[in-house]
């Protein structure tokens, strides 16, 4: 570390307690962002053959959010706990460049995604002409657009420097009061990377909401009162509102503070205001995957299926493990056959074990635990029945009953031999 990192501008200007609190918040954000975006990419990989064109932008959003998480949080967190920037000025510029690049990429990606969704929902005659080649071109444009504004300070249009609170780096806000080029850069950034995207997102989702509401009214005229609530319409509305709220919450505080520093006295802006604005901006890395994982049915279904498989393998392991000394923790109950089940299953029903919680079951898979039956009203349900064919029978088998989401009467039964699952296969379900 050079002497420059020891200068006053690289020392924190907020209290040590606030730095520790921000360090803890960033640690939680980083962990949740890593988990959420990794899961989003995993889901996209699992359904890669049926990905819709608009979902390519969701994948790109997860990539840019992971890029921000991987480049910013490892540098910001130790600096916050140390109460000063721990690295040199070159690393400071690298941090600022990555922050602007991945931040603008996510922001621009949300804008393009909203426009594409609006075109496909509101103007299907044009949306149906949208192809994969158009998606690739737009994705390249997203990265090029973000790269232009991120590389501009390195070329002399604007500048990068330490944040006023001292433990991170971004655009040099103090220079905006002294240099004309810095002012033009910040104003251009505000107009082209906040105002215009904000307007496009609001207009796009407003059109989508109007189209959905009109469609709902048309559908309600042909349905009975108890069927008027359309889950598809509700999901589209929730997704639209969530994206708009997330965009405003993440980027508005930073835009307001930036304009305050540019057209006012940057030294009069409280350092804590910059720190909190940066926290809101970085919260987008965990908010985005939550929105698309929880509110997009096709993504959510894959997550539910994966969790169901995780739960199944956990229960299979619990059924074959040796019971420890505390045998009283095991609750056995009879599983009565249902009229919906196939005949072979009805003939071999016996006792079963169930786990209270899948994650607890997996963490203690060598202990006996219990897995409750899933309600058949859920889109995807699993039931496990351990069958005993005799005292000299080979390894016990487990019937996996999958309740189809298309019809409650459709049930698929899969037999899994517990002895055929080696411990090594468990790592594939983590």
């Amino acid at each position: 570390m050079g002497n420059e990192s020891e200068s006053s501008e690289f020392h924190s200007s907020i209290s040590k307690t606030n730095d520790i609190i921000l360090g803890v918040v960033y640690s939680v954000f980083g962990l949740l962002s890593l988990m959420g975006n990794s899961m989003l990419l995993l889901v996209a990989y699992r359904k890669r053959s049926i990905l819709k064109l608009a979902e390519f932008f969701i994948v790109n959003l997860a990539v840019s959010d992971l890029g921000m998480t991987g480049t910013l949080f490892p540098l910001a967190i130790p600096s916050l706990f140390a109460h000063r920037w721990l690295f040199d000025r070159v690393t400071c510029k690298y941090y600022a460049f990555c922050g602007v690049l991945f931040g603008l990429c996510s922001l621009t990606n949300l804008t393009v995604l909203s426009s594409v969704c609006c075109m496909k929902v509101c103007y299907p005659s044009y949306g149906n002409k949208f192809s994969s080649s158009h998606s690739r071109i737009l994705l390249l444009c997203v990265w090029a657009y973000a790269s232009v504004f991120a590389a501009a300070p390195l070329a002399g249009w604007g500048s990068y420097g330490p944040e006023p609170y001292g433990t991170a780096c971004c655009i040099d806000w103090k220079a905006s009061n002294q240099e004309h080029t810095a002012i033009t850069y910040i104003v251009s950034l505000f107009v082209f990377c906040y105002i215009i995207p904000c307007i496009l997102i609001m207009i796009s989702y407003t059109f989508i909401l109007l189209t959905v509401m009109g469609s709902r009214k048309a559908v309600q005229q042909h349905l009975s009162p108890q069927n008027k609530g359309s889950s598809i319409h509700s999901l589209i509305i929730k997704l639209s509102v969530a994206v708009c709220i997330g965009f405003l919450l993440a980027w508005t505080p930073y835009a307001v503070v930036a304009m305050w520093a540019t057209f006012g006295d940057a030294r009069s802006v409280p350092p804590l205001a910059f720190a909190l604005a940066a926290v809101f901006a970085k919260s987008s890395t965990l908010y985005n995957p939550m929105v698309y994982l929880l509110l997009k049915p096709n993504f959510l279904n894959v997550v539910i299926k994966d969790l169901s498989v995780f739960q199944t393998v956990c229960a299979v392991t619990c059924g074959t493990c040796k019971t420890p000394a505390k045998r009283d923790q095991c609750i056995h109950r009879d599983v009565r056959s249902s009229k919906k089940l196939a005949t072979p299953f009805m003939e071999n029903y016996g006792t079963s074990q169930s786990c209270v919680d899948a994650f607890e079951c997996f963490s203690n898979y060598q202990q006996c635990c219990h897995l409750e039956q899933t309600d058949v009203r859920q889109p995807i349900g699993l039931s496990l029945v351990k069958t005993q064919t005799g005292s000299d029978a080979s390894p016990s088998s487990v019937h996996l009953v999958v309740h189809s989401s298309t019809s409650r009467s459709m049930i698929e039964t899969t037999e899994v031999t517990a002895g055929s699952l080696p411990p090594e296969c468990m790592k594939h379900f983590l």
Side-chain angles (χ1 to χ4, degrees), residues 323-324 326-332 353 367-370:
T323 307
K326 294 183 179 180
R327 183 78 179 182
D328 55 354
Q329 294 181 357
C330 299
I331 301 175
H332 292 78
Q353 292 179 326
Q367 302 177 3
C368 185
C369 49
H370 313 283

Side-chain angles (χ1 to χ4, degrees), residues 56-57 69 81 120 147 163 206 297 339 411-412 421:
F56 292 159
F57 298 97
T69 301
F81 285 117
K120 295 184 74 66
S147 299
E163 291 267 28
T206 298
K339 294 181 179 180
I411 297 180
E412 300 174 0
L421 292 175

Side-chain angles (χ1 to χ4, degrees), residues 142-317:
V142 165
W143 283 99
Y145 191 84
S147 299
V148 168
F149 284 96
L154 301 178
W157 187 31
S159 60
Y160 289 136
E163 291 267 28
Y165 54 92
T167 54
C169 298
C170 194
I171 299 168
D172 190 355
W173 305 110
K174 295 179 181 178
S176 62
N177 295 140
Q178 304 170 0
E179 302 175 9
H180 179 70
T181 55
I183 296 177
T184 59
Y185 172 73
I186 293 175
V187 171
S188 299
L189 200 66
F190 178 74
V191 173
F192 292 102
C193 298
Y194 176 74
I195 295 296
I196 293 179
C198 187
I199 293 174
L200 289 176
I201 288 176
M202 294 301 173
I203 291 176
S204 297
Y205 284 111
T206 298
F207 283 169
I208 291 175
L209 289 176
L210 292 176
T211 302
V212 170
M213 292 173 65
S215 175
R216 171 183 285 184
K217 290 180 180 179
V219 170
Q220 286 176 347
Q221 294 177 358
H222 303 281
L223 293 179
S224 57
Q226 61 269 24
N227 293 329
K228 286 185 177 180
S230 174
S231 60
I232 297 178
H233 294 157
S234 299
L235 285 172
I236 294 176
I237 293 174
K238 290 177 182 178
L239 183 61
S240 303
V241 173
V243 170
C244 293
I245 292 176
F247 179 86
L248 293 176
L249 286 179
W251 298 107
T252 299
Y254 212 97
V256 171
V257 172
M259 290 298 99
W260 184 3
T262 301
F263 295 103
D265 186 1
R267 295 176 178 82
S268 66
V269 181
L272 189 59
F274 281 99
L276 293 177
V279 170
F280 278 101
K282 291 179 176 62
S283 68
S284 64
T285 60
L286 61 98
Y287 183 84
N288 291 329
M290 288 175 58
V291 168
Y292 291 106
L293 282 175
L294 298 179
L295 295 182
K296 281 191 68 68
N298 49 353
F299 278 25
L300 182 59
N301 289 340
V302 176
V303 175
I304 293 175
K305 289 179 182 178
D306 288 344
L307 290 178
S308 300
V309 172
F310 175 86
Q311 197 177 29
T312 301
V313 176
C314 168
V316 170
T317 306

